[in-house]
Amino acid sequence: MFDILEADIVIFQETKIQRKDLRDDMVLVPGWDCYFSLPRHKKGYSGVVIFTRQSVCCPIRAEEGITGVLCPPNSSTSFSDLPENQQIGGYPTLAQATDILGSSSLATDFATLDSEGRCVVLEFPAMVLIGVYSPANRDETRDDFRLGFLNLLDARVRNLIHMGKRVFLTGDLNISKEELDTANAESAMRKNSMTPIEYFSTPARRLFNHLLEDGRVYGERDPGREEPVLWDICRGFHPTRKGMFTCWEQKVNARPGNFGARIDYVLCSFAIKAWFSDSNIQEGLMGSDHCPVYATIKDRICVNGLEVDVRDLMNPPGMFSNGQRQREYTVKDILPLSGRLIPEFDRRQSIRDMFSKRPIIPVEQSTQLKKTSEEALDVPNNNLPGPAPSADAPADRDTLLDVSSANHITWEASIAVSNDTVPSSPTNKRASSDRIANRPSKRGKPAPTSQSPTAHAKGQQSLKGFFQPRTTVVDGFGGGLIKGKTSTTDRQALPYFTITPTNSVQERKPGRSHDAWTTTDGVSNSRKEINPSVPLNPGTESPVGTHDFHDPIESKESWSKLFTKPAAPRCEGHEEPCVSLLTKKNGINCGRSFWMCSRPLGPSGAKEKGTQWRCQTFIWCSDWNPSTS
């Protein structure tokens, strides 16, 4: 994935994972470091992570949250209470917090706002990187939380810039800045009976436009936000581009028709506007309802009137000089917030690293070890033999092979045990004491026996076996036929079968089915179905009493019809099968299913007639009868 993105810093939002869900391939990525912010309480919700390529960049500080009230791992001191040389700074002040809490009537505190895993802050010598996932506008119950988060984010960004630090803000902000950034602007204004001024004056959009250089703010600007502080990098490179959307509604399949919105941004402070050479969206990369947004920094940047290599400022001092690496990335460079220091992954290494990495012994230590070994062996240096194979190497190899083989044997034994758990008949049952006495001390692959191959295939192995007839013709009994589940070990334990041996030779006639045969005496017989649960009269082939015969083929077809989905209706505009969706909007129809055209919405965002996009077909599933179509 990182090779496809071709980036050195990657920020993910809405990871929807918890700490217990983290895996090695998420944390121990070779050549990369990671910094997580995970939700504290809600499961499968929110989450932000930043990956940095160790060969190019290395942060000097890392924090979680906007307010600074959270604590570093294995510490009870919050980020805002750390010494100044250990904190990033710019935390919202008490006066700012009071204004925000008072103006928005919030009943939540800072810890609650930072408990959902929505922000990771990294500091490089060049700039402060803020990766955020802003709350979405889902319903009115979350409006206070959303406005509180955006207000605190605005305060943190302005405080950092006021401290003289360069800021790079990126992530899913869940806000479209203007009409050009959403395909639904006109319909939203028309639906809510809003004017363009009212549309831009909604609280979240107005607050966001206060941050941006070209943001439209109607009326007087808010106190403390008299000046914009960020530049929209992607829009700056494409000022008039239409349809530059980064998010599409999956439920209506709006991405093929590009009916979406631009809610993912890359923003920077004015001091570093000249650092960027390109910025765009990657709408062709699939896998999410969002597409990536990127910004490219030049190799040589200007800082305080001097041109320097960007690597010198994206790593700790002394690691790079004029773009050339001076020292390697070591364990000492790992920050406390790094995912590699999570207890479940700390001091872990992959098998490849075990064989590829060799410890480097200094020359002095190597010479000392050599002298010590010579003295212990009391062998002159000139009589030492050449390098010989280590005696421990074969033992290690054998041990590794033994472990692999043991795993394989355990798996085979579990399969064999599962096949033998159901006894074939009561006569084959053994006492519990016998089973315990005969139980092997070590599980292994069962030894081959002289039993029939069907001895280990007892019991229903799959759902398919329920529908398939199982027939065994018992030969060697003078031509007697038994249809049922039998085995070699069960032939002497059939209490309900009576087999009548015959001396006549049976031969099949060509053209006849296999369910009938003719004997040499000219008497034609038919194969009878024998119910094992009904005893037979001695010397007869039919069971006592009359019972209905259940054909397995008919049973299979009946079950197939029962579980088969009804045929979908075809849409009116394209004569293609419709798709079934579920109504989730509150009302009398909530929970009802309906059929609609399977094609995606067009650029207009409405159902169209006579075009390649979604037509106007709509059928309630309860009203659809496939038999009448």
Side-chain angles (χ1 to χ4, degrees):
M1 177 182 62
F2 294 109
D3 295 335
I4 296 176
L5 294 175
E6 297 181 351
D8 299 315
I9 302 176
V10 182
I11 302 97
F12 294 96
Q13 303 87 38
E14 200 173 0
T15 56
K16 293 186 177 181
I17 57 175
Q18 290 182 290
R19 178 170 165 176
K20 65 181 181 61
D21 301 323
L22 295 175
R23 304 191 307 266
D24 288 4
D25 57 351
M26 299 178 184
V27 179
L28 303 178
V29 183
W32 290 79
D33 208 343
C34 55
Y35 306 89
F36 286 90
S37 179
L38 304 175
R40 295 292 195 275
H41 308 294
K42 293 187 177 182
K43 298 180 180 180
Y45 185 79
S46 187
V48 175
V49 59
I50 299 180
F51 287 86
T52 58
R53 192 189 297 270
Q54 298 171 352
S55 62
V56 178
C57 55
C58 175
I60 57 177
R61 297 180 187 90
E63 295 182 1
E64 178 185 6
I66 297 176
T67 63
V69 299
L70 299 181
C71 300
N74 304 321
S75 175
S76 58
T77 304
S78 62
F79 288 110
S80 59
D81 293 334
L82 293 174
E84 290 187 3
N85 61 344
Q86 299 179 17
Q87 63 176 220
I88 296 177
Y91 311 106
T93 62
L94 182 61
Q96 291 173 327
T98 303
D99 294 340
I100 293 172
L101 293 172
S103 61
S104 302
S105 301
L106 289 173
T108 55
D109 55 3
F110 284 2
T112 303
L113 289 170
D114 275 342
S115 66
E116 294 188 355
R118 293 186 174 273
C119 180
V120 174
V121 186
L122 301 183
E123 183 176 8
F124 302 87
M127 61 184 178
V128 175
L129 169 63
I130 305 177
V132 298
Y133 171 52
S134 177
N137 185 23
R138 300 298 183 189
D139 53 69
E140 297 179 357
T141 60
R142 296 274 292 176
D143 285 349
D144 287 346
F145 186 93
R146 186 187 189 208
L147 292 177
F149 184 89
L150 292 174
N151 275 283
L152 292 175
L153 178 62
D154 177 272
R156 182 74 184 272
V157 170
R158 292 181 182 274
N159 292 346
L160 287 170
I161 295 176
H162 182 72
M163 293 172 59
K165 296 190 177 184
R166 298 173 283 265
V167 176
F168 185 91
L169 174 64
T170 182
D172 179 3
L173 298 179
N174 272 310
I175 303 174
S176 55
K177 186 179 66 173
E178 54 186 354
E179 300 102 319
L180 197 62
D181 295 319
T182 176
N184 196 32
E186 294 182 2
S187 61
M189 287 186 285
R190 184 170 54 253
K191 180 179 180 180
N192 299 313
S193 301
M194 300 172 62
T195 63
I197 295 179
E198 294 174 338
Y199 178 79
F200 281 99
S201 298
T202 54
R205 187 171 289 107
R206 175 182 173 84
L207 176 59
F208 182 52
N209 281 322
H210 271 87
L211 274 173
L212 301 181
E213 181 182 24
D214 57 346
R216 279 189 276 178
V217 179
Y218 292 92
E220 296 184 2
R221 299 180 69 94
D222 297 344
R225 299 169 181 150
E226 291 79 7
E227 297 293 334
V229 293
L230 296 179
W231 179 53
D232 188 350
I233 304 175
C234 195
R235 181 56 73 186
F237 281 92
H238 310 276
T240 60
R241 178 179 171 183
K242 296 181 179 180
M244 192 171 62
F245 304 140
T246 63
C247 180
W248 301 266
E249 183 65 42
Q250 285 185 319
K251 296 179 181 178
V252 295
N253 196 17
R255 188 165 187 172
N258 197 27
F259 185 77
R262 188 171 77 101
I263 59 177
D264 304 271
Y265 298 88
V266 282
L267 314 172
C268 70
S269 55
F270 298 152
I272 57 176
K273 287 177 61 175
W275 288 13
F276 298 92
S277 61
D278 185 26
S279 180
N280 207 337
I281 65 174
Q282 293 179 302
E283 66 275 19
L285 287 181
M286 311 299 288
S288 170
D289 57 339
H290 293 250
C291 76
V293 186
Y294 71 88
T296 305
I297 303 179
K298 301 175 182 177
D299 293 335
R300 306 285 294 183
I301 57 178
C302 185
V303 179
N304 299 328
L306 299 177
E307 188 178 86
V308 297
D309 193 284
V310 67
R311 295 180 180 84
D312 298 352
L313 297 181
M314 292 300 292
N315 291 274
M319 184 172 286
F320 276 85
S321 177
N322 198 22
Q324 301 296 323
R325 180 175 289 277
Q326 303 300 310
R327 66 177 181 87
E328 294 295 331
Y329 182 90
T330 63
V331 179
K332 296 181 180 179
D333 298 312
I334 301 179
L335 301 177
L337 193 65
S338 172
R340 292 181 175 270
L341 296 183
I342 297 177
E344 294 86 358
F345 305 95
D346 188 18
R347 302 185 184 277
R348 292 267 306 278
Q349 60 179 345
S350 63
I351 297 179
R352 183 179 61 180
D353 295 337
M354 294 171 60
F355 291 98
S356 61
K357 295 182 179 180
R358 298 180 179 178
I360 301 177
I361 304 176
V363 179
E364 298 80 0
Q365 184 178 358
S366 177
T367 306
Q368 184 178 1
L369 291 175
K370 184 176 180 181
K371 292 181 179 179
T372 304
S373 60
E374 292 176 1
E375 293 174 359
L377 294 174
D378 195 19
V379 179
N381 188 24
N382 54 2
N383 294 331
L384 285 175
S390 175
D392 297 334
D396 296 339
R397 191 182 305 111
D398 293 342
T399 303
L400 182 61
L401 292 176
D402 288 342
V403 172
S404 176
S405 301
N407 294 335
H408 180 66
I409 290 173
T410 303
W411 179 81
E412 291 283 347
S414 64
I415 298 297
V417 170
S418 64
N419 288 341
D420 291 340
T421 52
V422 181
S424 59
S425 64
T427 58
N428 289 337
K429 293 184 178 180
R430 294 182 298 177
S432 58
S433 60
D434 296 338
R435 290 196 299 267
I436 296 176
N438 296 330
R439 182 177 299 172
S441 58
K442 183 178 180 180
R443 297 179 65 186
K445 184 177 292 185
T449 61
S450 59
Q451 295 181 354
S452 172
T454 60
H456 291 283
K458 301 172 186 177
Q460 181 176 311
Q461 301 301 316
S462 63
L463 182 61
K464 185 177 179 181
F466 176 79
F467 302 103
Q468 293 179 346
R470 288 168 290 187
T471 304
T472 303
V473 178
V474 181
D475 52 358
F477 288 88
L481 298 176
I482 297 177
K483 193 170 183 178
K485 179 182 176 182
T486 62
S487 65
T488 305
T489 58
D490 297 334
R491 292 179 179 176
Q492 298 178 0
L494 300 174
Y496 298 126
F497 287 97
T498 300
I499 304 174
T500 304
T502 61
N503 296 325
S504 59
V505 180
Q506 299 173 357
E507 57 183 7
R508 298 183 183 271
K509 289 186 177 182
R512 292 291 188 98
S513 65
H514 295 298
D515 291 335
W517 68 90
T518 304
T519 60
T520 54
D521 55 3
V523 180
S524 177
N525 298 308
S526 299
R527 181 176 296 180
K528 301 296 191 301
E529 289 289 340
I530 299 179
N531 189 347
S533 63
V534 180
L536 302 179
N537 286 336
T540 64
E541 291 184 351
S542 60
V544 179
T546 304
H547 298 276
D548 294 335
F549 167 66
H550 298 282
D551 188 2
I553 304 301
E554 293 182 1
S555 299
K556 181 179 180 180
E557 294 176 354
S558 300
W559 281 96
S560 299
K561 292 179 181 179
L562 180 63
F563 291 107
T564 301
K565 294 182 179 180
R570 295 186 175 272
C571 63
E572 301 174 359
H574 313 99
E575 288 297 325
E576 296 177 352
C578 296
V579 293
S580 176
L581 299 176
L582 184 68
T583 305
K584 296 184 178 180
K585 185 178 180 180
N586 294 330
I588 58 175
N589 292 321
C590 183
R592 294 186 65 184
S593 299
F594 60 91
W595 297 100
M596 66 182 302
C597 179
S598 61
R599 294 203 176 189
L601 281 175
S604 64
K607 298 178 181 179
E608 304 175 5
K609 188 176 182 179
T611 65
Q612 61 176 333
W613 305 110
R614 178 173 297 172
C615 65
Q616 300 177 349
T617 302
F618 182 90
I619 305 172
W620 289 112
C621 291
S622 58
D623 299 337
W624 167 244
N625 187 4
S627 60
T628 59
S629 60

